[in-house]
Amino acid sequence: MNNALHLDQTALFLDLDGTLVPLAARPDQVFLPPSTAGLLLNLHAACDGAVALVSGRDHDSLHIACTKLPLAMISSHGAAMYDAEGQECWNIPINPAEHHSLSRSVAALIHPYSLVWMERKSHGVAVHFRQRPEVGEALATELHVLCSEYPGFDLIRGHCVIELRMSGFDKGQALARAQRLPAFADRKPVMIGDDLTDEAAFEFVNQKGGLSIRIGPQEPASAAQLSLPHPSDLLTLLQTSLLETRFFSELAQRTPSGAKTVAP
């Protein structure tokens, strides 16, 4: 993919892990480099504020990993959103007692598995097995049985992670809700992600005539229209889009009305 995005017409939705930055062994080892943070702030300005990070992380984890950037953040697979000023747009409430019971049950289930660990999130729990990928199927089978005992939660799979998250929402529904907000309304949605958990968001933007891009291998099959091999390729695309948007904006200010322009 070589074409730049038309940022002045775009509502830009970006996943973090595996999309803007490479995956790490643990979520707490991921931080945005200063250059990427600066790029995101410039994109936010070029899109007139229509930029949101969309992550399976809960809000606190996402905010810290993104060095507390003043950007809109959709967290917990769509369960919550905060705007660029840090004001809550929505936050679906969870049953604390059920969440606590689930966490205890999952901790007991994974205890026999060495190097497998549980991350308690605001709207569910995640079981990470990146250091033991060979146990993924066994874990998925056991967690699926456990999840059936908690009807308020769904099981979803990602890159060497299995999550039990509160049911009733996904990233696609979150994007639909976000596009009703003034900053994102009446813009072409662009969703860029890397994982199975991004598929609902890809499907939403496809239905809306937007653009969906998956980062990483082209297998397994995806609803995304386009793919890029690596986060570094995405950063190149975003930087190119930013430069072209600035070029045409400056050119429009300098060109007399009615004059023709050419692409750089």
Side-chain angles (χ1 to χ4, degrees), residues 137-194:
E137 292 306 317
L139 278 171
T141 299
E142 293 192 53
L143 287 169
H144 181 77
V145 173
L146 176 63
C147 189
S148 68
E149 301 173 10
Y150 291 87
F153 291 83
D154 294 328
L155 184 147
I156 56 172
R157 300 188 65 169
H159 292 306
C160 290
V161 62
I162 301 169
E163 295 194 42
L164 278 70
R165 68 174 185 195
M166 199 172 74
S167 59
F169 57 86
D170 57 37
K171 289 183 180 181
Q173 295 174 41
L175 264 60
R177 194 168 180 176
Q179 285 223 267
R180 294 196 291 267
L181 300 174
F184 297 89
D186 302 319
R187 285 175 166 264
K188 177 181 177 179
V190 174
M191 174 64 196
I192 308 176
D194 73 303

Side-chain angles (χ1 to χ4, degrees), residues 98-152:
E98 190 176 22
H99 191 197
H100 180 68
S101 173
L102 175 67
S103 299
R104 288 172 59 90
S105 297
V106 171
L109 185 152
I110 68 171
H111 181 71
Y113 293 92
S114 62
L115 302 178
V116 174
W117 60 282
M118 183 187 80
E119 177 189 8
R120 182 179 167 107
K121 297 184 174 184
S122 62
H123 291 79
V125 297
V127 174
H128 296 267
F129 54 95
R130 189 168 300 280
Q131 294 172 281
R132 294 282 310 281
E134 72 278 6
V135 303
E137 292 306 317
L139 278 171
T141 299
E142 293 192 53
L143 287 169
H144 181 77
V145 173
L146 176 63
C147 189
S148 68
E149 301 173 10
Y150 291 87

Side-chain angles (χ1 to χ4, degrees), residues 1 3-5 213 228 233-241:
M1 175 181 177
N3 295 332
L5 306 174
I213 305 173
L228 291 169
D233 299 298
L234 171 61
L235 297 180
T236 299
L237 169 66
L238 294 175
Q239 186 64 56
T240 300
S241 301

Side-chain angles (χ1 to χ4, degrees), residues 16-249:
L16 175 65
D17 300 87
T19 299
L20 285 169
V21 294
L23 294 167
R26 295 178 63 97
D28 57 8
Q29 295 174 343
V30 172
F31 293 96
L32 279 180
S35 58
T36 304
L39 174 59
L40 288 173
L41 291 177
N42 288 330
L43 290 167
H44 180 264
C47 294
D48 294 325
V51 173
L53 299 174
V54 186
S55 177
R57 290 173 179 259
D58 63 27
H59 178 72
D60 289 345
S61 173
L62 182 59
H63 201 213
I64 292 171
C66 294
T67 62
K68 301 182 179 181
L69 286 176
L71 296 173
M73 296 186 183
I74 298 173
S75 56
S76 298
H77 300 289
M81 179 177 182
Y82 290 78
D83 65 19
E85 284 73 46
Q87 297 299 309
E88 180 183 300
C89 301
W90 70 80
N91 192 342
I92 299 173
I94 190 169
N95 183 316
E98 190 176 22
H99 191 197
H100 180 68
S101 173
L102 175 67
S103 299
R104 288 172 59 90
S105 297
V106 171
L109 185 152
I110 68 171
H111 181 71
Y113 293 92
S114 62
L115 302 178
V116 174
W117 60 282
M118 183 187 80
E119 177 189 8
R120 182 179 167 107
K121 297 184 174 184
S122 62
H123 291 79
V125 297
V127 174
H128 296 267
F129 54 95
R130 189 168 300 280
Q131 294 172 281
R132 294 282 310 281
E134 72 278 6
V135 303
E137 292 306 317
L139 278 171
T141 299
E142 293 192 53
L143 287 169
H144 181 77
V145 173
L146 176 63
C147 189
S148 68
E149 301 173 10
Y150 291 87
F153 291 83
D154 294 328
L155 184 147
I156 56 172
R157 300 188 65 169
H159 292 306
C160 290
V161 62
I162 301 169
E163 295 194 42
L164 278 70
R165 68 174 185 195
M166 199 172 74
S167 59
F169 57 86
D170 57 37
K171 289 183 180 181
Q173 295 174 41
L175 264 60
R177 194 168 180 176
Q179 285 223 267
R180 294 196 291 267
L181 300 174
F184 297 89
D186 302 319
R187 285 175 166 264
K188 177 181 177 179
V190 174
M191 174 64 196
I192 308 176
D194 73 303
D195 209 346
L196 291 173
T197 60
D198 298 308
E199 291 297 320
F202 293 154
E203 291 170 1
F204 167 77
V205 300
N206 293 349
Q207 293 168 3
K208 293 297 181 180
L211 178 64
S212 53
I213 305 173
R214 186 169 72 172
I215 308 303
Q218 296 187 20
E219 298 293 336
S222 170
Q225 302 163 27
L226 302 169
S227 66
L228 291 169
H230 192 269
S232 60
D233 299 298
L234 171 61
L235 297 180
T236 299
L237 169 66
L238 294 175
Q239 186 64 56
T240 300
S241 301
L242 183 63
L243 291 173
E244 290 202 8
T245 298
R246 286 175 170 173
F247 173 85
F248 285 113
S249 176

